[in-house]
Each structure stands twice: as structure tokens, then as C-alpha cells.
Amino acid sequence: MNEQIDLKKVINVIRRNVWWLVGIIGFMVLGMFLYLQYIATPVFQKDTQILVNQSEKSVQSNLNSQTIQADLQLVNTYSTIISSPRILNKVQQELGKQYDIQELAEIIQVKNATDSQVIDISVEHPDPKIAARIANATAQTFTEEIPKIMKIDNVTTLSEAQFFGNELPVKPQKALMLVLAAFIGILVAFAFVFIRLLLNRTFTSQAELEELLGLTVLGEVSDFQNMDLFQTVQPRSKHFKSVTERRR
């Protein structure tokens, strides 16, 4: 019985505050839209790829599974070397020391697929042209430095990052953020309904009154307007006034 009454009260609160609920959700979505449109900084991503080739000795000899496995292990090693301070320091000098090593480490991401000899270098930056420049500088610097580090010249640039001028940002994802704002708005709206329900101390039915207070309802008083009461009492007051005047 309590569950039915509570559910009924929730529905009644939702009906009475439906415009508040719509307003809260709309406010959250509108606020997120304005933030994405005028405040949030768009971030662009540029990618370049490096291919780990077979070394000259491996090409001259017969290829076998051990040689391929060794190259795959080198890919993991190279991925770590790309993010090392030695490479990033050279990249910093190539860019005219506009960024420190910590900033470069945060915007440069190195990834490689499983069992693949291709290394992906991704750079995220508010300016797509600068992102392409950093990605290409990183790939070029690594290609030049790896023979000095590993004594092996088996790395070539597979594809360079290019700037087209009509790139779309990868962050923030506007559609996802708007959906998230709507979801948060729904949660806030229902929290508002729940608080209103907790603060509501009125009884909605005779059965609820009898059950919660343990009292028996003997009768009900119908609701009436104040004007009806005034019209009912007013003639009596005039009659009383005339009687008092006669007595005087």
C-alpha cells in the first residue's frame, strides 16, 4: 500500500513540476552548448607513421620467424625511445624551443598495433598546422637518431602528417557532451522531484491519513470559495444591524 501511495505521490509531484523538470534539462543542455561553442578550446589531431623495415643483413639472409619476431620486439623498443628525453630534446630544438619537454611528452602519443611493424605518432594541439609540424618533426628526428642509438638503420617514414585547412577537431566531442549534459540534467531534475517529495508533508488521500496517523476519519469538509462564505454571512450582518438600530 505504501509503495502505491509513494508512486502516486511521485507522479503527482512530477505533474505539478513538469515545467521545472523541462527547464532544468534544457538549462543543462543549453549551458553545455554555450560552453562548447564559445569557451571550450577545440583540439586537433595529426598522425604520422613509421615503418620498421628489415635490416640489410636480414634481407640478404633467409627470412624466418625469429627475424620477424625480433623486428616486432624492436617496435616496442622504438615506441619507448620516441618518448624519451633524447628524442624530445631534439624535437624541442627543431621547433625553436617553443615547447618544453614536458609539454611535448603530454601532446605526443606513440601507439603500435599488435604484431605490426608500423608505429603511429599522434599529436594533439589546438592548431592543426602546429600539430602536423610537431608530428613530422618527431618522426624525422627519430629516424635520424635511431642509427646512432641502436646502430641499426631500419626505420623509414611511412606517411607524414599533412595540413589541409579544413580539419575537424577531435576534442571536445560535441554530440557526446550534449548527451552527457542531458543525462546529468535528467538526474538533477529527478533529484529535484525527490527533494520536493521529501519536503511535502501533506496527505493525498483519506486512506493515507488513516494508515499513517492511526485515526478514523469521521467526515470530510468540502472545499468552497471565500466569496461564497462572504455572500452567506453578509445578509445576516445586515439583518443584525437593522435589529440593533430598531432597539435604539
Side-chain angles (χ1 to χ4, degrees):
M1 185 66 180
N2 285 333
E3 295 180 356
Q4 295 178 356
I5 295 175
D6 292 341
L7 180 60
K8 185 177 180 180
K9 292 180 67 175
V10 170
I11 295 175
N12 290 335
V13 172
I14 292 176
R15 288 178 178 177
R16 291 196 301 267
N17 300 276
V18 61
W19 291 112
W20 275 100
L21 303 182
V22 174
I24 292 174
I25 298 174
F27 176 79
M28 295 295 295
V29 174
L30 179 61
M32 179 60 69
F33 174 79
L34 295 177
Y35 169 77
L36 295 174
Q37 194 71 18
Y38 300 104
I39 300 177
T41 302
V43 177
F44 299 87
Q45 178 176 309
K46 287 297 180 179
D47 304 306
T48 184
Q49 292 181 322
I50 295 176
L51 176 63
V52 179
N53 299 316
Q54 299 290 335
S55 61
E56 295 182 359
K57 294 181 179 180
S58 298
V59 173
Q60 293 175 359
S61 61
N62 294 328
L63 295 177
N64 51 43
S65 59
Q66 293 181 353
T67 303
I68 297 175
Q69 185 64 29
D71 289 333
L72 293 177
Q73 292 177 356
L74 282 177
V75 170
N76 297 328
T77 303
Y78 290 168
S79 299
T80 304
I81 294 176
I82 293 174
S83 303
S84 65
R86 176 168 178 172
I87 301 299
L88 296 182
N89 187 31
K90 295 288 184 179
V91 175
Q92 181 189 31
Q93 296 177 3
E94 181 70 19
L95 298 174
K97 296 185 178 181
Q98 297 179 359
Y99 307 93
D100 57 31
I101 296 179
Q102 183 64 30
E103 290 177 343
L104 292 175
E106 292 177 355
I107 63 178
I108 297 176
Q109 298 179 358
V110 182
K111 298 175 291 184
N112 65 288
T114 305
D115 297 334
S116 174
Q117 296 176 249
V118 177
I119 301 176
D120 296 323
I121 300 177
S122 301
V123 177
E124 294 183 353
H125 195 274
D127 190 337
K129 189 174 183 179
I130 296 178
R133 182 185 175 189
I134 295 176
N136 292 330
T138 304
Q140 182 65 27
T141 301
F142 174 74
T143 304
E144 295 174 354
E145 291 295 321
I146 196 62
K148 304 175 184 178
I149 299 174
M150 301 289 293
K151 307 300 180 182
I152 299 176
D153 187 8
N154 63 341
V155 177
T156 57
T157 301
L158 184 61
S159 64
E160 294 184 351
Q162 298 180 358
F163 172 71
F164 300 100
N166 57 349
E167 287 83 355
L168 297 177
V170 295
K171 295 178 182 179
Q173 300 180 10
K174 293 185 178 181
L176 179 61
M177 297 298 291
L178 290 176
V179 172
L180 180 61
F183 178 74
I184 295 176
I186 293 174
L187 294 180
V188 174
F190 276 95
F192 173 78
V193 171
F194 181 73
I195 294 175
R196 290 292 299 269
L197 183 61
L198 291 179
L199 297 178
N200 185 11
R201 299 299 181 181
T202 60
F203 296 101
T204 58
S205 65
Q206 175 182 336
E208 183 180 358
L209 178 63
E210 293 178 346
E211 183 175 357
L212 294 179
L213 299 182
L215 301 177
T216 301
V217 178
L218 301 178
E220 297 181 1
V221 178
S222 301
D223 188 18
F224 54 87
Q225 301 294 331
N226 293 333
M227 185 60 67
D228 297 337
L229 178 62
F230 177 76
Q231 292 177 355
T232 303
V233 176
Q234 188 174 8
R236 295 182 180 179
S237 61
K238 290 182 178 180
H239 177 71
F240 178 77
K241 183 177 180 181
S242 61
V243 172
T244 54
E245 290 179 352
R246 290 178 182 178
R247 290 183 178 180
R248 290 179 182 178

